[in-house]
C-alpha cells in the first residue's frame, strides 16, 4: 500500500499506454452509441387505428399518389391523383394498398430510438413517405401522421422510420417494408386492362387479326357457338382466357391531353368481347399507334387508354 494518496493526474500517469488507448476508444464508442440509442417505452401504436384512415398520400421513389377510401373495404380505395396530376382511371392495386396500411400497423413505440443527426440515417432521402389521415369514431378530431422510411442500419440491419408528428425515430425489421423494395409508384395502380375475373365470364369472342374465337360457358365446360354446339377443350380455353384477363399495361394515357400523344388507326387490329352476368359487357380493342407503332388498348368499361 502506498503511504500517501495519489492525485487523479498521478493515477492517470501510472496507467499503461495500451490501457489508455483502450479507455479512450471505449469512451469514443460510448459517445457514438449515444447518438442512436434505444429508449425503452411501453408498447403502443403510433397511429390510433389504421381502420379509420380515409386518405393516403404516398411518395414512392419520387412519384406522389393521393388515394381516398370510397367505402369500408380495402378494395374500395381510389387513386385521385398520380404524379401530382388528376386521374381518369381511379383503380388501385387493393393488395398493395392493404400492405401499405400494414406498414402503419407494424410500428410500435417500444422500438423508438434517438439520433442526434437525422440525415445520417437516411430520413432526409426517404425512399417511401406515407401521409395518412382519418377521423376518430364519434369524434370530430381529424388525425394526420406522416411516416418516412429511410436507410437500413448497419448496426442491426433494420429499417429506420420517422414519425413526423411525434418527432420520433423508430427502428423496425426490414422485412416489414420488403414488399416495396422492388415496387414503383405504377405498381400501386390496378394495371389490368379488364375488370373481369375468370369465373365471371360467361361468353367471349375475338375477331380481327388475333385468334378468332366464339365461346359460351356450358356448366363447367366451354362450347363453341355453332349449330349444333361443339364442346371445346376446357383447359385450353381457360388458359387462353386467363392470358387475356392477365394483360397489364406498362403506361397509361390518363387525360385528354395525353390522348393526343398517340394517333390511332381507324380500325382496331384485334377486338375481344367479354360478357358476364347482369348484362356486364366489355369490348377490349387493340390499336396500332401510327406515330410509334406501339400497341394501344382501349376498353369500353374503362376511361383511359393503355400501352
Amino acid at each position: 500500500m502506498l503511504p500517501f494518496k495519489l492525485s487523479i493526474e498521478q493515477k492517470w500517469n501510472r496507467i499503461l499506454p495500451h490501457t489508455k488507448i483502450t479507455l479512450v476508444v471505449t469512451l469514443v464508442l460510448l459517445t457514438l452509441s449515444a447518438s442512436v440509442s434505444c429508449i425503452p417505452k411501453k408498447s403502443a401504436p403510433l397511429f390510433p387505428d389504421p381502420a379509420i384512415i380515409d386518405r393516403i398520400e404516398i411518395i414512392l421513389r419520387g412519384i406522389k399518389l393521393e388515394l381516398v377510401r370510397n367505402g369500408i373495404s380495402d378494395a374500395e380505395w381510389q387513386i385521385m391523383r398520380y404524379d401530382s396530376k388528376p386521374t381518369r382511371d381511379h383503380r388501385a392495386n387493393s393488395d398493395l394498398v392493404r400492405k401499405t396500411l400494414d406498414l402503419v400497423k407494424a410500428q410500435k413505440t417500444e422500438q423508438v430510438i434517438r439520433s442526434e443527426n437525422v440525415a445520417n440515417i437516411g430520413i432526409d432521402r426517404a425512399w417511401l413517405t406515407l401521409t395518412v389521415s382519418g377521423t376518430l369514431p364519434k369524434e370530430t378530431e381529424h388525425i394526420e401522421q406522416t411516416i418516412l422510411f429511410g436507410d437500413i442500419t448497419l448496426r442491426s440491419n433494420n429499417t429506420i422510420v420517422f414519425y413526423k408528428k411525434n418527432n420520433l425515430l423508430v427502428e423496425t425489421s426490414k422485412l416489414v417494408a420488403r414488399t416495396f423494395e422492388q415496387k414503383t409508384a405504377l405498381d400501386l395502380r390496378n394495371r389490368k386492362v379488364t375488370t373481369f375475373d375468370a369465373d365471371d365470364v360467361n361468353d367471349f369472342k375475338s375477331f380481327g387479326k388475333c385468334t378468332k374465337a366464339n365461346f359460351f360457358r356450358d356448366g363447367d365446360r366451354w362450347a363453341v357457338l355453332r349449330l349444333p354446339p361443339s364442346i371445346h377443350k376446357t383447359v385450353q380455353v381457360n388458359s387462353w382466357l386467363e392470358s387475356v384477363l392477365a394483360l397489364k399495361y406498362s403506361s397509361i394515357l390518363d387525360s385528354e391531353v395525353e390522348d393526343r400523344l398517340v394517333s390511332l388507326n381507324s380500325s382496331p387490329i384485334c377486338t375481344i368481347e367479354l360478357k358476364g352476368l347482369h348484362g356486364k359487357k366489355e369490348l377490349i380493342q387493340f390499336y396500332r399507334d401510327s406515330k410509334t407503332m406501339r400497341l394501344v388498348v382501349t376498353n369500353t368499361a374503362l376511361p383511359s387508354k393503355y400501352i
Side-chain angles (χ1 to χ4, degrees):
M1 179 178 294
L2 295 174
F4 53 88
K5 293 184 179 180
L6 294 174
S7 66
I8 294 176
E9 183 179 356
Q10 289 173 322
K11 290 180 180 179
W12 174 257
N13 290 333
R14 290 176 62 89
I15 297 175
L16 294 175
H18 68 273
T19 306
K20 292 180 182 178
I21 294 173
T22 302
L23 287 172
V24 170
V25 171
T26 302
L27 287 171
V28 170
L29 290 175
L30 288 172
T31 303
L32 289 174
S33 64
S35 64
V36 179
S37 57
C38 293
I39 304 173
K41 284 182 177 285
K42 184 179 179 181
S43 176
L46 287 167
F47 195 87
D49 182 4
I52 72 168
I53 296 174
D54 55 22
R55 182 176 294 272
I56 310 173
E57 180 186 279
I58 303 173
I59 304 176
L60 180 57
R61 295 183 173 85
I63 302 295
K64 180 189 289 188
L65 301 87
E66 295 178 21
L67 299 90
V68 297
R69 193 193 291 271
N70 195 34
I72 59 175
S73 71
D74 290 341
E76 297 180 65
W77 282 93
Q78 293 185 324
I79 298 175
M80 306 309 296
R81 299 182 70 86
Y82 179 83
D83 201 10
S84 301
K85 294 177 289 188
T87 60
R88 283 190 305 196
D89 188 340
H90 302 310
R91 295 178 301 153
N93 182 337
S94 57
D95 181 58
L96 207 54
V97 172
R98 187 184 70 253
K99 290 176 180 177
T100 300
L101 295 175
D102 288 342
L103 290 179
V104 180
K105 298 177 186 177
Q107 316 307 325
K108 303 290 184 180
T109 54
E110 65 183 0
Q111 300 160 313
V112 170
I113 62 173
R114 177 175 56 231
S115 176
E116 294 178 355
N117 191 346
V118 173
N120 286 343
I121 53 177
I123 296 301
D124 61 331
R125 52 183 183 277
W127 57 273
L128 173 64
T129 301
L130 305 176
T131 298
V132 294
S133 58
T135 303
L136 291 171
K138 299 180 181 180
E139 295 184 27
T140 58
E141 181 185 1
H142 190 74
I143 298 176
E144 183 173 291
Q145 178 67 270
T146 298
I147 312 165
L148 297 90
F149 291 79
D151 291 345
I152 294 176
T153 64
L154 296 177
R155 177 174 59 85
S156 59
N157 204 30
N158 288 335
T159 299
I160 297 297
V161 185
F162 180 62
Y163 277 75
K164 191 173 182 179
K165 180 179 179 180
N166 306 77
N167 196 30
L168 289 177
L169 284 165
V170 174
E171 184 175 350
T172 188
S173 170
K174 69 175 183 179
L175 297 178
V176 172
R178 175 166 288 181
T179 300
F180 292 85
E181 285 182 355
Q182 304 299 323
K183 300 296 183 182
T184 66
L186 191 63
D187 292 315
L188 284 157
R189 306 192 75 155
N190 182 342
R191 294 166 51 204
K192 292 176 61 177
V193 299
T194 174
T195 65
F196 270 100
D197 292 323
D199 293 338
D200 299 330
V201 179
N202 289 334
D203 303 86
F204 70 89
K205 62 181 178 179
S206 63
F207 46 90
K209 293 184 179 180
C210 51
T211 303
K212 292 184 179 180
N214 196 348
F215 301 104
F216 68 93
R217 195 183 293 274
D218 181 20
D220 58 353
R221 303 177 300 176
W222 287 101
V224 179
L225 194 60
R226 61 174 63 155
L227 293 174
S230 172
I231 300 300
H232 210 76
K233 290 185 178 180
T234 299
V235 173
Q236 291 181 357
V237 177
N238 284 338
S239 177
W240 184 84
L241 177 61
E242 288 173 2
S243 67
V244 171
L245 299 182
L247 288 174
K248 294 182 179 181
Y249 63 81
S250 57
S251 61
I252 180 172
L253 305 176
D254 213 18
S255 68
E256 292 183 3
V257 173
E258 292 177 340
D259 285 344
R260 294 195 286 269
L261 297 176
V262 296
S263 179
L264 305 184
N265 296 329
S266 57
S267 299
I269 60 176
C270 174
T271 298
I272 298 173
E273 183 181 280
L274 304 176
K275 291 182 179 179
L277 295 175
H278 310 297
K280 183 177 180 179
K281 176 181 175 180
E282 291 183 5
L283 206 63
I284 305 167
Q285 296 182 304
F286 298 79
Y287 294 86
R288 184 72 68 183
D289 177 14
S290 60
K291 293 181 180 179
T292 64
M293 300 307 293
R294 295 180 300 178
L295 280 178
V296 179
V297 183
T298 64
N299 185 331
T300 52
L302 298 174
S304 299
K305 294 181 175 65
Y306 310 94
I307 299 175

